[in-house]
């Protein structure tokens, strides 16, 4: 659920981890080991503060990465081929509820040159042209690519050449604007389960613009003496596994990461892990929310919370994907809504225009305008997607979620591994 921006050889790379769930979107980062049945799920959910911080960025982003697909991105690629390979996506694609609405917001705001995602276990390329806010603004476009699961006979690897500074060093570097944004938004840090909205220009907040000024960015550069190199300060915080000394049923402990501590101290930021640890010791996290956890187990939609700014908690996990490896998650769907990035069916996007600031897209990643608008042209291989047999019906698949046993006992929830036998027998992959 965290976000970040770094640089490598002049290429600016941003990303946000986790998936979108509306009932956890407006909570703080409060989870820490040992996890319970609620926090083991919510720990990987995207938070509104991370989206808010990324939306403060003004300088161009070269690459953005997310686990979840941005909602509506499937309208800008070969949707027909996507639904041929993953037919169980059809209902959510047609209702425009597949993917993360938070990621869609970021896609519209950041307009990165490339966007890479995972999660849905299928190779899919798209080309999205962004609208300009003024005549003076140069048009931008994003090339989206998701890859398949890392298994035999699957399209899980692709090489993309990206322009960079050949004279730059080979170390990761801090991004000065991102550090300035972190410093500006430090007062918004929240380590509780309380739901809250980010500041907006709605008359309720004295300040709502936390973007970095040129002076703030200059101060960050001066703090670092213009040396943005990220230090190689990795430190072991847990003993390596020793197979000769197995330690079963060990409860994980909450460890404060020294790298994070050093980073926060250097820039005067709140160490969220340390703050959570302090709150836990004081009993303000576990003690105050003990009863809430029981209620959320019975009603995981967060009905006691204020209404979310999104009225959906679907993010692709709501699609029953037979290939997925996932933790047991709460059930129940909320009302579905559409997202503003959906192109108008009456005015399909024009992908034929060329853009001066868009780098040449490799042929294997190209998507034609015919493909993007679901043309009847059957020559669909421009995205490099190999032909695959259409998925079996869901009734022939084993259930992917695990809950209680046959006697109705809840049991311990585990990670369920799909396609385990495929590593021993290649032919089984052909039956998927």
């Amino acid at each position: 659920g965290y976000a970040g921006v770094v640089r490598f050889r002049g290429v600016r790379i941003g990303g946000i981890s986790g998936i979108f769930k509306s009932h956890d979107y407006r909570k703080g980062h409060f989870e820490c080991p040992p996890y319970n049945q609620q926090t083991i799920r919510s720990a990987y959910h995207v938070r509104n503060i991370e989206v808010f911080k990324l939306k403060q960025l003004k300088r161009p982003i070269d690459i953005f990465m997310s686990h979840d697909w941005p909602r509506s991105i499937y309208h800008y690629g070969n949707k027909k081929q996507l639904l041929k390979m993953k037919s169980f996506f059809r209902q959510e694609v047609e209702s425009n509820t597949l993917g993360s609405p938070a990621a869609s917001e970021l896609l519209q705001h950041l307009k990165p040159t490339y966007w890479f995602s995972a999660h849905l276990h299928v190779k899919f390329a798209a080309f999205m042209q962004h609208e300009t806010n003024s005549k003076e603004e140069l048009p931008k476009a994003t090339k989206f690519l998701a890859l398949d699961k890392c298994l035999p006979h699957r399209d899980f690897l692709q090489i993309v050449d990206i322009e960079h500074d050949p004279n730059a060093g080979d170390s990761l570097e801090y991004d000065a604007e991102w550090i300035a944004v972190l410093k500006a938004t430090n007062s918004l840090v929240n380590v509780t389960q309380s739901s809250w909205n980010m500041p907006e220009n709605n008359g309720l907040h004295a300040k709502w613009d936390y973007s970095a000024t040129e002076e703030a960015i200059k101060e960050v550069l001066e703090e670092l003496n213009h040396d943005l190199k990220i230090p190689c300060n990795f430190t072991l915080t847990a003993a390596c596994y020793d197979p000769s000394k197995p330690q079963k049923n060990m409860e994980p402990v909450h460890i404060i990461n020294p790298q994070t501590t050093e980073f926060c101290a250097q820039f005067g930021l709140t160490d969220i892990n340390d703050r959570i640890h302090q709150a836990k010791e004081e009993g303000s996290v576990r003690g105050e929310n003990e009863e809430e956890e029981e209620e959320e187990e019975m009603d995981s939609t967060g009905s006691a919370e204020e209404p979310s700014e999104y009225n959906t908690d679907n993010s692709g996990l709501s699609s029953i994907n037979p290939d997925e490896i996932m933790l047991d998650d709460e059930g129940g769907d909320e009302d579905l809504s559409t997202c503003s990035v959906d192109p108008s069916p009456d005015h399909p996007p024009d992908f034929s225009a060329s853009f001066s600031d868009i780098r040449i897209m490799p042929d294997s990643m190209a998507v034609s305008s015919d493909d993007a608008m679901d043309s009847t042209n059957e020559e669909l291989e421009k995205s490099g997607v190999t032909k695959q047999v259409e998925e079996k019906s869901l009734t022939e698949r084993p259930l992917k979620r695990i809950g209680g046993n046959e006697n109705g006992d809840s049991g311990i929830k585990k990670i369920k591994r799909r396609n385990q036998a495929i590593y021993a027998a290649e032919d089984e992959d052909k039956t998927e």
Side-chain angles (χ1 to χ4, degrees):
Y2 287 90
V5 182
V6 295
R7 288 178 177 269
F8 182 72
R9 295 200 169 182
V11 179
R12 197 175 190 210
I13 307 167
I16 189 166
S17 62
I19 63 168
F20 175 84
K21 290 285 183 178
S22 65
H23 54 269
D24 287 314
Y25 178 68
R26 295 187 299 126
K27 295 180 180 179
H29 291 288
F30 62 93
E31 303 90 347
C32 67
Y35 298 109
N36 58 36
Q37 294 301 327
Q38 186 243 337
T39 58
I40 198 173
R41 294 192 297 262
S42 65
Y44 56 80
H45 292 175
V46 168
R47 311 303 156 91
N48 60 351
I49 187 172
E50 304 299 330
V51 176
F52 180 80
K53 287 186 287 189
L54 287 167
K55 288 176 71 174
Q56 304 310 304
L57 298 174
K58 294 180 177 179
R59 296 182 174 182
I61 291 283
D62 298 301
I63 298 172
F64 197 85
M65 296 183 292
S66 66
H67 182 72
D68 239 348
W69 288 24
R71 179 165 294 179
S72 297
I73 193 64
Y74 33 80
H75 293 305
Y76 296 90
N78 192 339
K79 186 165 58 178
K80 181 178 180 180
Q81 181 74 355
L82 173 66
L83 296 179
K84 180 179 180 182
M85 293 186 292
K86 300 287 182 179
S87 58
F88 41 85
F89 290 166
R90 181 173 297 279
Q91 180 178 353
E92 286 175 285
V93 166
E94 291 178 350
S95 63
N96 199 40
T97 55
L98 180 66
S100 167
S104 285
E105 282 189 23
L106 292 174
L107 177 59
Q108 292 181 85
H109 176 79
L110 298 173
K111 300 179 176 66
T113 306
Y114 293 92
W115 186 300
F116 301 120
S117 292
H119 189 46
L120 296 183
H121 305 300
V122 60
K123 183 174 181 179
F124 180 74
F127 183 76
M128 179 179 179
Q129 178 182 342
H130 299 282
E131 295 182 1
T132 56
N133 297 321
S134 65
K135 294 181 179 179
E136 293 76 22
E137 183 181 352
L138 292 174
K140 294 182 179 180
T142 296
K143 285 150 280 192
F144 173 85
L145 178 65
L147 293 173
D148 202 347
K149 200 173 181 180
C150 186
L151 289 173
H153 315 299
R154 308 285 278 266
D155 290 311
F156 61 84
L157 178 65
Q158 181 161 322
I159 307 299
V160 179
D161 293 321
I162 295 176
E163 293 179 9
H164 62 280
D165 182 359
N167 298 319
D170 58 356
S171 300
L172 283 173
E173 295 181 341
Y174 293 122
D175 182 85
E177 185 188 18
W178 176 249
I179 299 298
V181 168
L182 292 181
K183 291 163 73 75
T185 57
N186 191 56
S187 61
L188 302 178
V189 169
N190 175 23
V191 296
T192 73
Q193 294 192 57
S194 301
S195 296
W196 64 322
N197 290 318
M198 290 295 102
E200 295 180 70
N201 185 12
N202 56 6
L204 300 177
H205 303 93
K207 181 179 180 181
W208 57 86
D209 184 358
Y210 288 78
S211 58
T213 63
E214 291 300 321
E215 291 76 14
I217 295 173
K218 183 178 178 181
E219 287 178 8
V220 171
L221 292 172
E222 291 175 351
E223 279 185 60
L224 295 169
N225 294 320
H226 293 267
D227 180 11
L228 296 173
K229 182 179 178 180
I230 298 176
C232 296
N233 58 351
F234 174 76
T235 304
L236 283 173
T237 56
C240 296
Y241 174 71
D242 185 353
S244 65
K245 300 177 181 178
Q247 297 177 345
K248 297 182 179 179
N249 302 322
M250 280 190 62
E251 186 176 74
V253 295
H254 186 203
I255 298 174
I256 305 301
N257 190 307
Q259 292 169 273
T260 304
T261 301
E262 183 177 333
F263 173 80
C264 292
Q266 181 176 12
F267 297 108
L269 304 174
T270 298
D271 186 340
I272 295 179
N273 280 321
D274 185 55
R275 178 73 68 84
I276 295 173
H277 185 71
Q278 292 177 16
K280 185 177 67 172
E281 287 186 339
E282 295 167 2
S284 60
V285 172
R286 300 280 176 154
E288 291 175 4
N289 299 304
E290 200 69 36
E291 295 180 0
E292 292 181 16
E293 290 172 0
E294 293 181 6
E295 293 174 2
E296 289 200 27
E297 283 300 309
M298 298 177 64
D299 181 12
S300 62
T301 61
S303 58
E305 302 173 2
E306 300 175 18
S308 171
E309 59 191 281
Y310 302 110
N311 60 349
T312 173
D313 98 343
N314 294 287
S315 69
L317 276 179
S318 54
S319 290
I320 303 177
N321 188 344
D323 286 335
E324 187 148 7
I325 304 169
M326 61 173 291
L327 291 170
D328 179 35
D329 209 343
E330 63 272 25
D333 294 325
E334 300 179 11
D335 293 334
L336 306 178
S337 68
T338 59
C339 184
S340 60
V341 302
D342 188 18
S344 169
D346 299 325
H347 302 282
D350 178 17
F351 297 146
S352 61
S354 59
F355 307 105
S356 59
D357 63 335
I358 295 301
R359 297 162 186 161
I360 297 174
M361 182 166 58
D363 292 338
S364 59
M365 197 173 165
V367 179
S368 72
S369 57
D370 289 339
D371 285 343
M373 291 181 284
D374 284 338
S375 168
T376 57
N377 184 0
E378 294 300 323
E379 298 177 12
L380 300 172
E381 296 303 313
K382 289 199 175 188
S383 64
V385 182
T386 59
K387 294 182 179 178
Q388 298 184 22
V389 179
E390 188 169 351
E391 304 288 343
K392 284 187 176 182
S393 66
L394 297 180
T395 56
E396 297 177 358
R397 292 279 185 173
L399 294 176
K400 74 168 187 174
R401 301 185 185 274
I402 53 174
N405 55 29
E406 294 179 355
N407 298 322
D409 299 331
S410 59
I412 298 176
K413 305 193 182 202
K414 302 178 181 178
I415 294 176
K416 192 167 185 179
R417 183 70 173 90
R418 292 288 172 197
N419 299 320
Q420 179 111 7
I422 200 167
Y423 295 98
E426 289 186 355
D427 290 341
E428 288 188 23
D429 184 77
K430 300 176 181 177
T431 66
E432 293 192 331

